Amino acid sequence: SSDLPHTMSLTMNTLALPKQMTHIEITQPGGPDVLQPRTVGLPHPGPGELLVRVHAAGVNRPDVMQRMGVYPMPPGVTSVPGLEIAGEVVALGEGSSGFAVGDAVCALTEGGGYAEYCTVPVTQTLPVPAGLSMVQAAAIPETYFTVWANVFDAGALRREQTVLIHGGTSGIGSTAVRLSKERGARVLVTDDGPDKCQAALNLGADIAIDFRRQDFVEQVSLATSGRGVDMVVDIVGGAYFERNVAALARDGRLVLIGFLGGEVAERVNLLTIALKRLTVTGSTMRARTATEKADIAQRLQAAVWPAMAQGRCVPPVHAVFPLTQAAEAHRLMESGGHVGKIVLQVA
C-alpha cells in the first residue's frame, strides 16, 4: 500500500508504491566517485506536482558542475542531481491536472532525477513523443528547453539564416543542430577531430570545422563568402568571445549557453560589436521562473513534438548506464568521448 499521506489529495487510482527507493547522492564535492547510491523514502508531490516512477534520466553538464561543487542547487531544492527524466506518473499532488496515473511523460525537473522516483512540476511535464522510447525521451528536456529558449526565443534564428554551433556533437550542440535544421537554417559546427566532425555531419550539420586543425573564423568567412554567420551558439565562453564576434555578420547574435573555456573574456573590441550591430545574449535554465519554463514547454511541444513523432529532431543517445553506475556516466561526459546524450536507465 502507498506510504503517501492522505492529505495530499492524490488521485483515487494511485498505484501501490514502495516505502523506499534508491537515489544517487553527491556525498561531497569532487570526482565521479562521490556519486553513491543511497536508500531513502519516496518524495511526496506537493501542489502542482506529479510523482513519476523514473524509467530513465538524462545526464548533463550542469550535473557534473553540481557534483564538483561549482553549480549548487538553489536553497530549498533537493541536492540529488538530475535535471530531466522520463517515466510513468504514479501520483498527482493537489491541483495537478492534465495528466493521469499511468501516463508516460518526460519532464524538466527541479533536481532529483537520478532516482527511482522523482517529483516534477506539472507545467514542466510533457507526454513522451509518439514513437520514442523512455531512454530517448529522457534525453529531451534539459537540452531542448535550453536550446529552444536561447536559439529561437532569445536569438530568433529564422529559416535560411546561417548558424555556427560550437561543440556540434555535445548534448547542447547536437540538439542545436537537430532543431536548427528542422527550422530551416544552414548549420556550421566546430568539433574536435575528424571523427567528431563526421559525426556532426551525420547529425545534420552542413559544414563541420575541426577546431584543432582549422581556424573557425577563416572557415566561416570561406563558407559565407566573407559575410559571416547570423548566429553563434557558444558553449565555450570567454576563450572564444573575440573570435565569435569576428565570425558574426552584421546584425548577428552571439548566444552564450556554456562556459567550458572560462566565464571571463580577456579581450573584447566593443567597437566591433557596435559597428556590426551585434546582440550578445545568454541565460541559464536553472534561474528561470516556473512561469517561464512552462511557456517554453508549451512552445516546444507545439513546434517540435510533431516532428519527433515523424522521426525527426530525435535526440541522439550515445550511451546508457544503469542508475547505480552514475559515476561511469560522468566519467564518459568528462572525457568528451560522447556524441549526443548520455542516459541513466532506472527501470
Side-chain angles (χ1 to χ4, degrees):
S1 65
S2 171
D3 190 40
L4 299 169
H6 294 298
T7 55
M8 289 164 34
S9 301
L10 301 181
T11 56
M12 293 299 291
N13 59 338
T14 298
L15 301 176
L17 300 176
K19 287 182 165 48
Q20 293 185 311
M21 69 169 190
T22 299
H23 75 191
I24 301 298
E25 212 166 87
I26 300 172
T27 54
Q28 63 184 53
D33 289 332
V34 306
L35 296 171
Q36 294 292 329
R38 295 284 186 265
T39 300
V40 296
L42 272 62
H44 297 153
E49 292 185 334
L50 305 173
L51 180 64
V52 176
R53 183 165 72 93
V54 180
H55 288 253
V59 177
N60 293 281
R61 183 69 57 178
D63 303 344
V64 173
M65 295 166 62
Q66 180 188 345
R67 189 206 74 220
M68 295 168 67
V70 297
Y71 193 41
M73 285 293 193
V77 176
T78 177
S79 61
V80 175
L83 298 172
E84 58 184 356
I85 60 163
E88 175 190 5
V89 177
V90 293
L92 281 69
E94 185 178 352
S96 299
S97 61
F99 294 96
V101 168
D103 283 354
V105 297
C106 57
L108 182 72
T109 76
E110 299 297 316
Y114 290 16
E116 292 180 320
Y117 291 82
C118 180
T119 58
V120 295
V122 69
T123 55
Q124 293 165 210
T125 304
L126 294 166
V128 171
L132 267 64
S133 68
M134 288 288 190
V135 165
Q136 289 171 313
I140 295 171
E142 169 67 12
T143 52
Y144 280 68
F145 273 63
T146 298
V147 169
W148 189 267
N150 283 278
V151 176
F152 301 101
D153 285 350
L157 183 66
R158 298 188 296 278
R159 183 169 296 279
E160 297 184 359
Q161 290 191 328
T162 301
V163 58
L164 172 66
I165 299 165
H166 290 305
T169 58
S170 67
I172 288 287
S174 59
T175 301
V177 170
R178 288 275 209 248
L179 290 178
S180 298
K181 288 302 294 182
E182 176 66 22
R183 307 292 288 178
R186 184 185 184 213
V187 175
L188 285 64
V189 303
T190 64
D191 226 307
D192 186 3
D195 290 347
K196 282 289 192 81
C197 285
Q198 183 58 54
L201 295 172
N202 295 344
L203 289 170
D206 297 291
I207 295 174
I209 301 162
D210 183 347
F211 68 78
R212 294 205 182 275
R213 305 181 188 189
Q214 299 172 297
D215 182 308
F216 73 77
V217 179
E218 290 179 3
Q219 295 302 312
V220 163
S221 183
L222 287 171
T224 61
S225 302
R227 178 180 171 274
V229 292
D230 299 292
M231 180 182 293
V232 175
V233 178
D234 184 33
I235 61 171
V236 178
Y240 272 13
F241 194 93
E242 188 179 30
R243 286 191 288 162
N244 284 336
V245 168
L248 281 164
R250 182 172 290 176
D251 296 317
R253 288 90 73 203
L254 171 56
V255 177
L256 300 169
I257 295 182
F259 303 94
L260 294 174
E263 298 168 10
V264 177
E266 298 292 343
R267 296 177 58 211
V268 182
N269 187 333
L270 299 178
L271 182 60
T272 306
I273 295 174
L275 291 172
K276 287 187 172 184
R277 302 195 299 260
L278 303 182
T279 300
V280 180
T281 184
S283 70
T284 63
M285 190 55 59
R286 188 166 294 180
R288 290 180 181 271
T289 67
T291 301
E292 289 172 329
K293 292 175 184 177
D295 288 344
I296 296 166
Q298 291 171 7
R299 289 195 292 274
L300 199 56
Q301 184 174 4
V304 180
W305 258 232
M308 285 188 179
Q310 295 174 21
R312 305 192 309 278
C313 287
V314 176
V317 175
H318 179 88
V320 182
F321 294 87
L323 176 64
T324 53
Q325 291 180 20
E328 293 302 318
H330 276 226
R331 283 192 191 92
L332 174 59
M333 173 157 280
E334 290 183 276
S335 77
H338 59 294
V339 173
K341 295 297 292 275
I342 301 167
V343 176
L344 300 175
Q345 192 151 25
V346 183

